[in-house]
Amino acid sequence: MALLQSFLVCFVVVVAASLIPVSAQLTANFYDNVCPQALPTIRNVVQKAIKNEPRMGASLLRLHFHDCFVNGCDGSILLDDTSNFTGEKTGLPNLNSVRGFDIVDDIREAVDNACKTSVVSCADILAIAARDSVAILGGPFYQVLLGRRDARTASLSDANTNLPPPNFNLSQLLSIFQSHGLDLQDLIALSGGHTIGLARCTTFRDRIYNETNIDTQFAASKRQNCPVTGGDGNTEPLDSMTTRFDNQYFKDLLKFKGLLHSDQELFKGDGSASDQLVQKYSNDAVAFGSDFRASMIKMGNMKPLNGNNGEIRMNCRKIN
Ligand code: HEM
Ligand SMILES: *[C@@H]1O[C@H](CO)[C@@H](O)[C@H](O)[C@H]1NC(C)=O
Ligand SMILES: *[C@@H]1O[C@H](CO)[C@@H](O)[C@H](O)[C@H]1NC(C)=O
Ligand SMILES: *[C@@H]1O[C@H](CO)[C@@H](O)[C@H](O)[C@H]1NC(C)=O
C-alpha cells in the first residue's frame, strides 16, 4: 500500500514537472534575499504613476502582455531602436500604441537605488508592475513568479505576427493564443484585461460604422469622437467602467457593447463555449478574478530566460 502510494506520488510529481518545464525555474521569492525592498519599491512607483494617471495601470498591464507574446517575457519590448539595432517598438501592434516606458525607467531607477545594484530584470519589472496595476485598480492579487532575465535581442517581425490584431475573428484569436500554449479560457479571461484602458479610433472605426452586432446607441455615441476620416488617435474607454478592474467588460459584451471587433467576437449570442465563459464571468466577478489570476501566471511563465541566459539590463531601453 505504502509502495503504491509513493509510486503514485512520484508519478504525479513527474507528470506535473514535465507539464511545466520552464515555469518551474521561476519562483515567488526570487528577490527576497538579494533585495527584499525590490517589490515594495516597484509597487510604490506604480501606485504614484496610477494616482497621477489612472490609465497608466492599463498601459503597464498591456506592456507585459506585449512583452510575453513576442518570444517570451524577456523585456524585449523595452529595447529602443538605434542605428544598428531594430527593436519591437515600431511593430504595428506597438507603434503609437504601447506606452508606459517612462514609468518603467522610473521603476528601474528606484529599484536600483533600493537594491544598490541592478539585480531585478526589466522583464520581472514588467511582470510585477502589471500585477500591481491590476491589484491597485481593484482586481485580483497574485504571487508573481520571478527570476526572468532580459533578452539581448528583439524581433520586429515576431512583434508583427505574434500579437493579435483587433480585426481577428474568434478562431484566429484562439489559434494565436494556442500557439502560445494558452487555451480558450485563457483567451476569454485575459481579454478581461480590457476592463481597464483606452483604444484609439483607428482600432475600432470599422466596427462602429460597419458592423451589425453592435448596440445602435453605443455605436452612435462612439462615432461622435471617431469620425469616418481623421481623429485616428482619439481614444475611447475599452469598457464602461474603465478605471476599475472589474467584470464590467463582460457585462458590456452581453449588451453588444464591445468596443473592438475582437472583443465582441468573444460573445455572439450563439451559446458557444466562448459565449458561456463570457456569461459566467459577467455573472461571477470572483470566478473572473481567479481565472484571470491563473491565466496571468500562465502567460507570465512563457519561455522565460533564466540561469545564465540573457542578462540583467541596467537600462531597460538598451542591452548592456
Ligand atoms: C485577445 C486579443 C487582444 C487584442 C486583439 C487586443 C487589442 C488591443 C487594442 C487594439 C488595443 C488598443 C490599442 C490602441 O488604441 O493603440 C488594446 C488595448 C489594451 N489591451 Fe488589448 N488586446 C488583446 C488582448 C489583451 C490582453 C491579453 C491584455 C492583458 C491581459 C490586454 C490588455 C490591454 C490593455 C490594458 C489595453 C489598454 C492600454 C492603455 O490604455 O494604454 N489586451 N488591446
Ligand atoms: C551598436 O553600435 C554601438 C556604438 O557604435 C556599439 O557600442 C554597440 O555594441 C552596437 N550594438 C550592436 C547590437 O551591434
Ligand atoms: C476567420 O478568419 C479566417 C481568415 O480570414 C477565415 O478563414 C475563417 O473562415 C474565419 N472564421 C470564421 C468562423 O468566420
Ligand atoms: C466599411 O466597409 C466598407 C466596405 O468594406 C469599406 O470600404 C469602408 O472603408 C468601411 N468603413 C469604415 C468607416 O471603416
Side-chain angles (χ1 to χ4, degrees):
M1 193 59 196
L3 195 67
L4 179 64
Q5 255 175 17
S6 57
F7 169 77
L8 280 177
V9 168
C10 277
F11 180 75
V12 167
V13 168
V14 168
V15 168
S18 66
L19 286 176
I20 42 167
V22 280
S23 62
Q25 286 133 318
L26 298 179
T27 56
N29 59 0
F30 194 81
Y31 297 112
D32 286 5
N33 293 324
V34 283
C35 184
Q37 319 89 293
L39 271 65
T41 302
I42 294 172
R43 192 186 169 98
N44 268 336
V45 180
V46 172
Q47 180 100 53
K48 278 193 197 118
I50 292 177
K51 197 169 176 208
N52 186 47
E53 185 202 11
R55 183 188 182 187
M56 190 50 69
S59 304
L60 292 170
L61 172 61
R62 187 162 184 246
L63 270 186
H64 179 49
F65 163 51
H66 280 211
D67 184 29
C68 293
F69 261 54
V70 183
N71 299 315
C73 318
D74 60 1
S76 57
I77 192 173
L78 302 174
L79 292 168
D80 279 341
D81 282 13
T82 66
S83 54
N84 59 359
F85 182 88
T86 304
E88 296 166 8
K89 290 183 177 178
T90 59
L92 207 59
N94 291 334
L95 187 65
N96 301 320
S97 184
V98 283
R99 57 200 293 282
F101 298 111
D102 294 344
I103 302 300
V104 175
D105 293 340
D106 293 348
I107 296 174
R108 171 88 274 164
E109 194 185 334
V111 84
D112 286 357
N113 285 337
C115 301
K116 308 282 186 276
T117 80
S118 285
V119 289
V120 182
S121 67
C122 298
D124 276 351
I125 285 176
L126 290 183
I128 299 162
R131 184 275 306 267
D132 289 344
S133 293
V134 168
I136 289 165
L137 294 172
F141 182 82
Y142 50 91
Q143 286 246 293
V144 66
L145 297 181
L146 300 167
R148 298 168 191 81
R149 290 168 64 83
D150 298 320
R152 294 176 54 81
T153 57
S155 171
L156 176 60
S157 68
D158 290 342
N160 277 319
T161 54
N162 294 359
L163 288 162
N167 62 341
F168 263 20
N169 64 31
L170 179 62
S171 54
Q172 293 171 302
L173 292 169
L174 182 58
S175 89
I176 207 165
F177 270 63
Q178 283 172 338
S179 74
H180 290 92
L182 302 170
D183 60 21
L184 181 71
Q185 183 177 304
D186 297 314
L187 167 64
I188 312 289
L190 289 172
S191 294
H194 288 176
T195 178
I196 50 175
L198 312 178
R200 288 168 306 144
C201 169
T202 178
T203 66
F204 58 83
R205 178 182 282 124
D206 195 36
R207 169 155 171 75
I208 61 174
Y209 285 97
N210 272 340
E211 296 189 352
T212 51
N213 65 343
I214 186 167
D215 179 90
T216 316
Q217 282 181 359
F218 174 79
S221 86
K222 296 299 165 190
R223 286 183 205 134
Q224 302 293 309
N225 188 35
C226 181
V228 176
T229 52
D232 283 8
N234 297 356
T235 54
E236 284 293 312
L238 280 156
D239 88 349
S240 55
M241 251 301 262
T242 191
T243 54
R244 250 198 106 64
F245 195 103
D246 57 14
N247 64 342
Q248 186 62 44
Y249 169 78
F250 298 103
K251 295 180 181 175
D252 292 344
L253 295 185
L254 295 186
K255 292 182 268 177
F256 296 95
K257 294 180 179 177
L259 185 63
L260 306 177
H261 173 80
S262 53
D263 291 327
Q264 200 62 57
E265 277 294 302
L266 309 181
F267 182 85
K268 301 206 194 83
D270 59 7
S272 62
S274 165
D275 270 26
Q276 288 172 29
L277 280 165
V278 171
Q279 219 132 23
K280 174 175 156 184
Y281 294 151
S282 72
N283 286 328
D284 188 347
V286 175
F288 165 52
S290 65
D291 287 357
F292 181 82
R293 172 175 30 208
S295 293
M296 281 297 286
I297 293 170
K298 209 166 153 186
M299 182 177 86
N301 290 348
M302 293 187 325
K303 297 207 301 187
L305 291 169
N306 46 25
N308 290 321
N309 296 317
E311 63 185 16
I312 306 297
R313 229 179 269 148
M314 282 150 54
N315 173 344
C316 291
R317 294 174 181 269
K318 53 182 197 188
I319 57 180
N320 291 342

